[in-house]
Amino acid sequence: MVTNHQVLFNKVQPTGLPKPGETTTRGSAGLDIDNVALNGGVLTRNIAVSLDPTMRNRMKGDIGYFTPAYVVGKPVTAIGIAEVVRSEVDDFKSGDIVFVWSLGIEEYTLHPKEATAGFRKMDPTALSSGLSITTFLGAAGMPGMTAYMSIKEIIGDLKAGNKMFVSGAAGAVGQLVVQLCHQAGVKVIASAGSDEKCDFVRSLGADETINYKTENLPAKLKAFAADTGIHYYYDNVGGEQLEAYINVAARYGIIVACGYISGYNAEKPEDVVYPKNLFNIVTKELKYQGFIVSSFLPKWYGKFMEEVPKMLAEGKIKNREDVTFGVYGAEDAFLRLFTGENQGKVAVLIDTERAERWNLGKQMQGAKVWK
Amino acid sequence: MVTNHQVLFNKVQPTGLPKPGETTTRGSAGLDIDNVALNGGVLTRNIAVSLDPTMRNRMKGDIGYFTPAYVVGKPVTAIGIAEVVRSEVDDFKSGDIVFVWSLGIEEYTLHPKEATAGFRKMDPTALSSGLSITTFLGAAGMPGMTAYMSIKEIIGDLKAGNKMFVSGAAGAVGQLVVQLCHQAGVKVIASAGSDEKCDFVRSLGADETINYKTENLPAKLKAFAADTGIHYYYDNVGGEQLEAYINVAARYGIIVACGYISGYNAEKPEDVVYPKNLFNIVTKELKYQGFIVSSFLPKWYGKFMEEVPKMLAEGKIKNREDVTFGVYGAEDAFLRLFTGENQGKVAVLIDTERAERWNLGKQMQGAKVWK
């Protein structure tokens, strides 16, 4: 018997910041890992999970979101990586490392057979390429795919000399967007929530940065737009920054609508800011397009895995991580996503005992670590 | 010497409805059509002009609109059709009928040579096909191109069985959108501002209509969406109707952003309604794209002229017109675009004396005529 530590969803919370201990709570349950009945499914030992802002919307009850709301009393789920302990599914055997779209934030998960349709077996070659396993939750994982595939699909080929505004630029997705644009010869202006984050984003290749908490964002955007306007906007935040972009958009500007984090934790619906200049969508001939990365996987997954892990291994792309140790740490780590205390891609390392096995020691160099 | 009657732009008016006699005013000037110096340009006798809601935005001074603001004291300009009287430009000769993107609302216009770059000589075969000349300002002209080309470019192939919401459906653009969708097997729900207009729109093939002034638009949209959602929205009005669509959009829904007429005449900026549910752009993976039809002409003009005038001549497409006689009538006709008193495509017939020459008698059958 082992004790399976878990972070459980505890209370539907439509507004405000998530509250560790209230929105979510710590739980544990005894588990006989050798003998528990699998009923045709799979038992995994969970290695790490990715915490993403969009999870906040699954804590609001049924809001018509395509990803289902969390269930009170059950573990919060997230994108994660796990090792198969026992399996009654032919495709998976003990020792396989699997990428899981919906993994409980807990040490062990029992997956019914139908849930394993969402597993993707990880390539042992990639795992031994020198990248840490949490990188496959960051730049080589969902946020990396998000940045890469949405640019390919919504913008197409980036045009050298064009200008891009990236909000939330120090975050998991933003940092890769900045680098992909910089490499393509696009001029980048990036916003983030502290001077330190702005320094980091400049180190990735941003030409100009805006600390949106202390600087005049519309004025800096306008100066950067100069007489050409800004051709692209990678929107992680919505609200005032979206409105400011629309005012300085170039004709035929493209808005990649990745998230709307400015509205996720509003205390009241009327606190969420929406742009009051949408008529410009018509007159400037803008395209404003949203997406969920899973829609792009069938078309782009192969090309992504061919290109991006290699660029990471060669140091051509940086991936700043913010790693929290231990399953219970997920509660505070999730809150930090919204207070801005995180530094880069937020992951929770669940299997801390065997961390070294997946290059985590190496990864920790340069990562912000919370123990 | 003749007297050239003109409608002049008289006063910049940022808010409210246009005011005949104040925003615009009636003028006249003597003109010696036989001897006036052309200075290398062209003199036209103007036949008809098209009045379009977007012209309202050019009466607001410099609002960063790509089409330039009107100049106080000069004739209001519009898309129109004219006959060349005298020409010092090699490409044009006396008697040519030309389509002009920027024609003064006046009986005669003197065009400098560089302005004739915006002329398009009309094909005599098309002119004699039985269509009236004002049709080339409606379904076979800019509004027709707008409907046809924006669907081709922003939606692509319409999918039979999908659902479309069209706002402003009895207007110049909307009536063609309804018919193109119906012909493609798309199920159409359409909004308009009176029961009579709704009847008309149903006669064009709309499956369901909403009188937005008297009926509960969100409820009717929701019922029509049922469990599939609505796949397309052709947006002529913005505001509340846009917000209502976003709430019932199908995943991957497409919004063709053609106009935002609900906001054009607001008394105060804060009276303009903007949707408060843009987060759905992300979660439903919507595409919301604006355009100005001139951007699509190079790619689609040929195909449009091949298909649409033929469909009109064969009666496969209907084109309801609202024709005002005489240049001075343009002032009231323009106001009717916003009060909703117009019925279909609003055109002003300037050269009433020679109307018969261009099948206008025929066209007047079924048109609303204001004399």
Side-chain angles (χ1 to χ4, degrees):
Chain A
M1 288 289 279
V2 300
T3 301
N4 185 23
H5 298 93
Q6 306 174 303
V7 172
L8 303 170
F9 185 53
N10 190 55
K11 191 179 163 191
V12 171
Q13 194 198 327
T15 62
L17 286 170
K19 296 182 186 71
E22 183 179 324
T23 320
T24 56
T25 189
R26 300 173 179 197
S28 65
L31 182 72
D32 182 347
I33 57 176
D34 298 320
N35 300 302
V36 63
L38 302 186
N39 296 316
V42 167
L43 175 70
T44 58
R45 169 88 166 103
N46 302 338
I47 301 168
V49 291
S50 164
L51 298 186
D52 298 291
T54 185
M55 293 165 60
R56 177 67 188 87
N57 298 301
R58 302 177 66 186
M59 299 177 173
K60 298 181 179 178
D62 181 9
I63 55 168
Y65 201 46
F66 282 92
T67 320
Y70 291 130
V71 179
V72 168
K74 300 274 185 193
V76 175
T77 60
I79 292 172
I81 294 174
E83 179 176 345
V84 174
V85 177
R86 291 168 50 215
S87 170
E88 291 177 357
V89 174
D90 288 345
D91 292 343
F92 303 103
K93 62 175 197 304
S94 172
D96 282 351
I97 306 294
V98 288
F99 182 90
V100 183
W101 278 94
S102 183
L103 189 65
I105 302 182
E106 57 187 340
E107 290 167 324
Y108 293 89
T109 300
L110 204 52
H111 307 262
K113 183 178 178 181
E114 56 276 18
T116 64
F119 285 17
R120 195 184 286 270
K121 214 184 291 187
M122 296 186 72
D123 175 6
T125 319
L127 285 173
S128 61
S129 67
L131 298 180
S132 83
I133 203 152
T134 50
T135 307
F136 293 94
L137 294 175
M142 190 279 282
M145 294 177 203
T146 296
Y148 178 95
M149 297 179 187
S150 59
I151 288 174
K152 292 280 188 196
E153 192 71 21
I154 296 174
I155 297 179
D157 291 330
L158 293 164
K159 200 175 149 199
N162 271 359
K163 295 176 183 174
M164 161 71 90
F165 169 40
V166 187
S167 58
V173 175
Q175 56 179 297
L176 195 55
V177 173
V178 170
Q179 294 175 84
L180 292 173
C181 289
H182 177 63
Q183 287 178 9
V186 169
K187 292 185 175 71
V188 177
I189 185 165
S191 68
S194 74
D195 289 346
E196 190 282 332
K197 285 179 181 176
C198 286
D199 289 344
F200 167 62
V201 171
R202 270 196 303 276
S203 79
L204 300 178
D207 299 276
E208 180 65 274
T209 55
I210 312 170
N211 177 340
Y212 71 87
K213 292 184 178 168
T214 61
E215 298 188 275
N216 183 334
L217 186 131
K220 285 196 92 166
L221 274 189
K222 197 171 175 189
F224 191 78
D227 55 357
T228 64
I230 297 180
H231 307 82
Y232 315 121
Y233 173 36
Y234 202 98
D235 185 18
N236 289 304
V237 308
E240 289 165 1
Q241 299 196 39
L242 173 57
E243 181 171 277
Y245 169 72
I246 291 172
N247 283 332
V248 298
R251 192 171 188 173
Y252 309 120
I254 299 174
I255 302 167
V256 180
C258 180
Y260 211 101
I261 197 172
S262 67
Y264 292 177
N265 299 298
E267 288 293 345
K268 301 186 295 289
E270 56 270 33
D271 291 345
V272 183
V273 173
Y274 294 102
K276 292 188 167 52
N277 55 357
L278 290 184
F279 177 47
N280 289 277
I281 300 279
V282 181
T283 57
K284 294 186 170 187
E285 310 190 58
L286 307 183
K287 179 169 82 168
Y288 174 26
Q289 186 169 352
F291 71 98
I292 295 174
V293 66
S294 49
S295 292
F296 299 151
L297 283 185
K299 182 167 167 192
W300 292 103
Y301 183 79
K303 204 163 156 54
F304 173 85
M305 289 307 287
E306 220 171 79
E307 288 186 13
V308 175
K310 189 161 168 283
M311 289 164 86
L312 282 159
E314 292 170 357
K316 288 179 184 165
I317 291 178
K318 294 176 198 167
N319 178 44
R320 191 192 216 189
E321 296 193 1
D322 180 297
V323 180
T324 297
F325 276 60
V327 67
Y328 284 159
E331 290 189 283
D332 287 334
F334 187 62
L335 179 58
R336 286 195 292 268
L337 270 178
F338 302 106
T339 59
E341 291 169 272
N342 69 305
Q343 293 186 4
K345 171 61 205 155
V346 175
V348 175
L349 186 65
I350 294 176
D351 188 350
T352 53
E353 291 161 33
R354 294 185 291 169
E356 283 312 312
R357 190 167 152 194
W358 300 292
N359 299 308
L360 282 162
K362 180 173 174 183
Q363 186 58 34
M364 292 307 112
Q365 294 162 20
K368 171 77 180 171
V369 177
W370 307 78
K371 290 205 183 187
Chain B
M1 287 289 280
V2 300
T3 300
N4 185 23
H5 298 93
Q6 305 175 305
V7 172
L8 303 170
F9 185 53
N10 190 55
K11 190 178 164 194
V12 171
Q13 195 197 326
T15 63
L17 287 170
K19 297 182 185 70
E22 183 179 326
T23 319
T24 55
T25 190
R26 298 172 181 198
S28 63
L31 182 72
D32 181 347
I33 56 177
D34 297 321
N35 300 303
V36 61
L38 301 187
N39 297 317
V42 168
L43 176 70
T44 59
R45 169 89 165 102
N46 303 338
I47 301 169
V49 290
S50 165
L51 298 186
D52 298 291
T54 185
M55 292 164 60
R56 177 66 188 87
N57 299 301
R58 303 177 65 185
M59 298 176 173
K60 298 180 180 179
D62 182 9
I63 56 168
Y65 203 45
F66 282 92
T67 321
Y70 291 130
V71 179
V72 169
K74 299 276 184 191
V76 175
T77 61
I79 291 171
I81 295 174
E83 180 176 345
V84 174
V85 178
R86 290 169 50 216
S87 171
E88 291 176 358
V89 175
D90 288 344
D91 292 344
F92 303 102
K93 61 176 199 302
S94 173
D96 281 350
I97 307 293
V98 288
F99 182 90
V100 183
W101 279 95
S102 185
L103 188 66
I105 302 182
E106 57 187 341
E107 290 167 324
Y108 294 88
T109 301
L110 204 51
H111 307 262
K113 183 178 180 183
E114 56 276 18
T116 64
F119 284 19
R120 195 183 288 270
K121 214 184 294 185
M122 296 186 71
D123 175 7
T125 319
L127 284 173
S128 61
S129 66
L131 298 179
S132 82
I133 205 153
T134 50
T135 307
F136 293 95
L137 293 176
M142 191 279 284
M145 293 177 205
T146 296
Y148 178 94
M149 297 179 187
S150 60
I151 288 174
K152 292 280 187 196
E153 192 71 21
I154 295 175
I155 296 179
D157 291 331
L158 293 164
K159 201 176 149 199
N162 271 0
K163 295 175 182 173
M164 162 70 90
F165 169 41
V166 187
S167 58
V173 175
Q175 55 178 298
L176 193 55
V177 173
V178 168
Q179 293 176 86
L180 292 173
C181 289
H182 177 64
Q183 288 178 6
V186 169
K187 294 186 174 72
V188 177
I189 186 165
S191 68
S194 74
D195 289 346
E196 189 282 331
K197 287 181 180 176
C198 286
D199 290 345
F200 167 62
V201 171
R202 269 196 303 278
S203 79
L204 300 178
D207 300 275
E208 179 67 272
T209 55
I210 314 170
N211 178 339
Y212 72 89
K213 291 185 178 167
T214 62
E215 298 188 277
N216 183 334
L217 184 132
K220 285 197 93 167
L221 274 189
K222 198 172 174 186
F224 190 78
D227 54 358
T228 64
I230 297 179
H231 307 82
Y232 315 122
Y233 173 36
Y234 202 98
D235 186 18
N236 289 304
V237 306
E240 289 166 1
Q241 298 197 39
L242 174 57
E243 180 171 278
Y245 169 72
I246 291 173
N247 283 332
V248 299
R251 191 171 187 173
Y252 309 122
I254 298 173
I255 302 165
V256 181
C258 179
Y260 210 102
I261 197 173
S262 66
Y264 292 177
N265 299 299
E267 287 293 345
K268 300 186 295 292
E270 57 270 33
D271 290 345
V272 183
V273 174
Y274 295 102
K276 291 187 168 53
N277 55 358
L278 290 184
F279 177 47
N280 290 278
I281 300 278
V282 181
T283 58
K284 293 185 169 185
E285 309 188 59
L286 307 183
K287 180 169 81 168
Y288 174 26
Q289 186 168 351
F291 70 98
I292 295 172
V293 66
S294 49
S295 291
F296 299 152
L297 283 185
K299 182 166 167 192
W300 292 104
Y301 183 79
K303 205 164 155 52
F304 173 86
M305 289 307 288
E306 220 171 78
E307 290 186 12
V308 175
K310 191 161 168 282
M311 289 164 87
L312 282 159
E314 293 171 356
K316 289 180 182 164
I317 292 179
K318 295 176 197 165
N319 178 42
R320 193 193 216 187
E321 296 190 2
D322 181 294
V323 181
T324 298
F325 276 59
V327 67
Y328 285 159
E331 291 190 280
D332 287 334
F334 187 63
L335 179 59
R336 286 195 292 268
L337 270 179
F338 302 106
T339 60
E341 289 169 273
N342 68 306
Q343 292 186 6
K345 171 62 207 153
V346 175
V348 175
L349 188 64
I350 295 176
D351 187 352
T352 53
E353 290 161 32
R354 293 185 293 170
E356 283 312 312
R357 189 166 151 194
W358 300 293
N359 299 307
L360 282 162
K362 180 171 176 185
Q363 184 59 34
M364 293 306 114
Q365 294 162 21
K368 171 75 179 171
V369 178
W370 308 80
K371 291 203 185 188

